[in-house]
Amino acid sequence: MGLIDLILIALGLAVAAFVYSLIADHKRHAQMRKAIAGLPDFRCDYHRIGSGARDAVTIDEGSGTLCFFWRVNGAITSHCVRAADVVAVDVFENRTTKTVAPGRGVIVMVGGIGVPVGGRRQATHHKVTRVEVRTTVSDPAMPLHSLTVLNTACTEGGGLHALVSEAADVWCARIRAMAARAQRAAG
């Protein structure tokens, strides 16, 4: 077996793993959609399935209810709350910063004088590894619910980060607006 055969086998395994990952992700999303559709007496006006279908949130504007879903050991659990019970909604971003200092560079001799080339330059990389919409409700047994909008590293301020941040802000505003409306109606 030659080097080319080993490369082809490794490439085939990588493709198979990627396809398996896509199929598993599709299955998790289908399970979450089924759990959302299976809520009794709940009209889903808005819903968002989180990254990797690990969690989700749905809104029934007519009844003023939010329902949060999360996956535990493959099973999907849900918890519904009245919008009037929402205490706070925030966007949480987990950021990492890494500073890299390359080597010393080289000294080039120019007419008997040494000139440093490629000196120490530091490069700082800012990454966002997780973006969540966190909702706090007035239920001491289950006060915190999260919707994971991003669960992978991306460059802070980049295109993916901007898209994810906008989606998180929209859901944060949507839940806040619904809670404010319900609290005004309650008096």
Side-chain angles (χ1 to χ4, degrees):
M1 186 179 290
L3 179 62
I4 293 177
D5 292 334
L6 289 175
I7 292 172
L8 289 175
I9 289 171
L11 184 61
L13 289 173
V15 168
F18 178 73
V19 169
Y20 176 78
S21 172
L22 286 177
I23 291 170
D25 190 54
H26 179 72
K27 182 180 175 185
R28 284 190 305 272
H29 273 80
Q31 289 171 335
M32 193 63 79
R33 284 191 299 274
K34 185 177 178 183
I36 291 169
L39 283 174
D41 302 325
F42 193 93
R43 189 185 82 224
C44 180
D45 294 309
Y46 301 100
H47 77 277
R48 172 77 188 220
I49 297 174
S51 177
R54 289 177 184 89
D55 48 30
V57 64
T58 60
I59 294 176
D60 180 348
E61 283 191 301
S63 68
T65 306
L66 297 120
C67 194
F68 297 93
F69 296 84
W70 61 95
R71 185 180 304 274
V72 178
N73 296 328
I76 298 173
T77 304
S78 65
H79 182 71
C80 294
V81 297
R82 296 177 319 124
D85 292 336
V86 172
V87 175
V89 185
D90 298 297
V91 175
F92 168 79
E93 290 190 0
N94 185 18
R95 293 188 167 105
T96 61
T97 302
K98 182 178 181 182
T99 302
V100 179
R104 293 184 194 158
V106 296
I107 296 180
V108 177
M109 297 301 288
V110 179
I113 300 174
V115 178
V117 176
R120 287 186 101 70
R121 291 188 191 127
Q122 291 185 342
T124 302
H125 303 283
H126 301 283
K127 297 282 186 188
V128 175
T129 57
R130 188 171 183 86
V131 176
E132 294 178 352
V133 176
R134 291 184 176 171
T135 305
T136 305
V137 298
S138 60
D139 179 357
M142 299 184 83
L144 185 63
H145 300 280
S146 295
L147 171 67
T148 307
V149 185
L150 176 76
N151 195 26
T152 187
C154 70
T155 303
E156 183 178 15
L160 177 59
H161 181 240
L163 185 67
V164 166
S165 292
E166 181 180 346
D169 289 342
V170 165
W171 271 94
C172 186
R174 187 173 281 153
I175 294 170
R176 281 182 183 159
M178 189 174 168
R181 190 177 334 135
Q183 290 164 358
R184 275 193 310 270

